[in-house]
Amino acid sequence: MPNLKVADHIPAHPEAEEWDVLVVGTGMGGSTLGGELARRGRRVLFLEKGNVLHGNPLPEEPGPDGYSEAEVRLRTGRWPVPLQGRTSFGKTSFFAPMGCGSGGSTALFGAQLERFAPADFQPRANHPGVRNSSLPEHWPISYEQLVPYYRRAEALHRVCGTPDPLNPDPEAPLREPPPLSERDRVLRDSMVDLGLHPYRSHVGFHHVPECHECFDICGKDCKGDAGGRSLVPALTRHGAGILPRCEVQELIAGRSRVEAVRATWNGTELRLRARNVVLGAGAFMTPVLLLNSRSPEWPEGLANRSGLVGRNLMLHTSDFVTIDLPDLHSTAGPRKSLTFNDFYFDQGRKLGTVQSVGLPMVPGIILQYLRYVAEKDPQWWRRPVDRLLPPVARLACHLFRRAAVFATVVEDLPYRENRVIPDPASSNGMRYEYAYPRELLERNRHFRKRLARRLAPRHRVQVVTGGTNNINYGHVCGTCRFGEDPHTSVLDPTNRAHGVDNLYVVDASFFPSSGGINPSLTIAANALRVAEVIHGTLP
């Protein structure tokens, strides 16, 4: 990754220009789209709430005077304040796994870059017994239409892995992964003998010397995140500009166009103009920005004539499970190693994927995870658990020393009542409401039982997350769905807002269903598709 002097890419007079595209947010959707349009010669300005951390030395430790907690989090690419809301389990206020800075949440993700299954594009048929969900019959685009963009996204992020036997694509540009560890090789062979179809996980880790597969900003350029793969090249090679620490307050729109973007930057208010405005602020924050952009023409919020902006929030659920081996084997090798989709559809139910977690089983990592679970779950927080966590972490490390740790990802369905709402009294100016559906609880139970029974002839499977609150806040999506009918969707099939000629949304807000797999590659592929659309509209 080239060295990056941020000041060289901050325009001297951003208000004096009319940009081809203003991109709000530099996560997977915003960076990918903006990077592609800059590569095609378009004048792109990124607006980023956090810092530009890619292409720069990693942040220094706080000095003697220290920093506020919010500033420390911003300096390490994390969302600065707690996420607040309510679920079926009670009120929540915790630091969600959300990025803030160059690359957005991809700077902190595990770089698992998998495709949706073809059947995910016909979601209603996958859940015939669910009556009260707002699942559409189909996405407004097909899997086949997205395949060329999936391939481009895989090449862009240098995805390595082997084909999924249950959804192969001979033309996928997958790079050869490094050899498996002894433990994972034994486990893979055992799974194959049991009739499963494991494959090498599709990941954006490139395994340069001393690659740690980090869940943090990568200083070695070995992780395929949006900051390194799209944002930095857009700035250093293709002339894009950026305003870091810039917070967008409002989109000022007339009847059918966004006329200006009002933002605060360096303590001053800016009004920026562009032929097109693209939102990539994430499925929590993008709908809040739209709902806060009221005007006489848009009294319920911009692009909200359907009343669906902020609704149909989906989060996925995930359990950590250990798969025990009879003997102790070396774990030297890649950690995000194996994935299998044999339970993606099972006995008439749509479930999801199973994949290596990618974290070592050491006390510090286990302790960090347990504290996160305790913080996000109000039922845990009411108990005096904190003093118990360190010995529990040490015990878990001993008990699972022979085991491999996997995570499930289970599809969450859209419900109109699950939503994001502006709330000036909350720390982010928003809160969320989420009722955990009964059908999701039952599908999770079915998944756990089926997984354990299938592996039982050779392996003991144990769910280590515990309880029923297994909400995955790293996969938020669905709050500005796309579709063909403006009465039942926020965006049209090109991701342009219904009724607003120059406004697009490219983060995971656009998902009309969540699939049962990591969303990042689908966001990237779709952003490349939308970039092509926007490029074709510009003179």
Side-chain angles (χ1 to χ4, degrees), residues 22-317:
L22 284 177
V23 180
V24 181
T26 62
M28 185 62 92
S31 284
T32 303
L33 177 137
E36 176 65 11
L37 285 171
R39 185 187 68 81
R40 290 171 175 254
R42 300 304 183 177
R43 300 186 66 258
V44 176
L45 179 64
F46 294 98
L47 308 179
E48 171 53 53
K49 177 183 173 73
N51 298 308
V52 178
L53 299 169
H54 290 76
N56 290 289
L58 294 179
E60 299 175 359
E61 293 295 322
D65 296 330
Y67 304 115
S68 67
E69 183 177 23
E71 183 62 26
V72 169
R73 293 184 63 82
L74 280 172
R75 288 171 62 85
T76 55
R78 288 165 170 79
W79 197 262
V81 294
L83 176 69
Q84 294 175 296
R86 177 181 287 276
T87 73
S88 304
F89 309 102
K91 288 185 177 181
T92 63
S93 180
F94 70 103
F95 288 111
M98 297 161 54
C100 187
S102 54
S105 295
T106 70
L108 311 176
F109 77 160
Q112 187 112 12
L113 294 162
E114 306 277 355
R115 299 183 186 187
F116 275 20
D120 285 326
F121 293 77
Q122 304 286 332
R124 172 58 68 178
N126 300 327
H127 300 275
V130 179
R131 303 299 178 194
N132 56 340
S133 169
S134 53
L135 268 176
E137 293 291 335
H138 57 82
W139 283 40
I141 60 173
S142 67
Y143 175 80
E144 289 72 23
Q145 286 175 290
L146 205 55
V147 163
Y149 302 101
Y150 270 137
R151 292 171 182 159
R152 286 174 55 188
E154 287 161 344
L156 175 65
H157 290 275
R158 307 175 194 170
V159 175
C160 68
T162 58
D164 175 1
L166 302 179
N167 185 26
D169 176 8
E171 297 183 45
L174 298 175
R175 298 185 173 206
E176 183 178 356
L180 287 169
S181 69
E182 179 187 6
R183 181 201 62 192
D184 289 343
R185 188 169 63 250
V186 170
L187 181 58
R188 179 200 59 193
D189 293 346
S190 180
M191 287 179 174
V192 170
D193 288 344
L194 290 169
L196 297 174
H197 299 81
Y199 63 94
R200 296 299 306 277
S201 299
H202 297 176
V203 296
F205 290 118
H206 313 127
H207 300 284
V208 301
E210 298 188 24
C211 172
H212 302 299
E213 299 180 57
C214 51
F215 285 71
D216 213 329
I217 294 171
C218 178
K220 302 186 180 71
D221 194 30
C222 55
K223 183 165 78 170
D225 63 46
R229 294 291 165 260
S230 293
L231 178 63
V232 171
L235 299 175
T236 59
R237 300 178 201 163
H238 306 305
I242 189 166
L243 298 182
R245 301 297 285 261
C246 178
E247 188 155 6
V248 176
Q249 306 294 332
E250 178 188 12
L251 306 183
I252 300 169
R255 184 175 180 83
S256 61
R257 290 185 66 81
V258 177
E259 297 166 355
V261 173
R262 184 171 67 86
T264 54
W265 180 59
N266 287 342
T268 62
E269 183 172 296
L270 300 178
R271 292 203 173 202
L272 303 163
R273 298 175 299 114
R275 291 185 174 90
N276 292 281
V277 176
V278 178
L279 301 184
F284 279 131
M285 304 312 298
T286 283
V288 174
L289 178 56
L290 292 173
L291 292 170
N292 284 336
S293 298
R294 295 184 178 89
S295 67
E297 292 83 3
W298 300 95
E300 303 302 319
L302 185 56
N304 195 31
R305 289 184 180 136
S306 65
L308 292 176
V309 172
R311 294 189 179 273
N312 299 305
L313 170 67
M314 296 173 283
L315 295 171
H316 280 164
T317 55

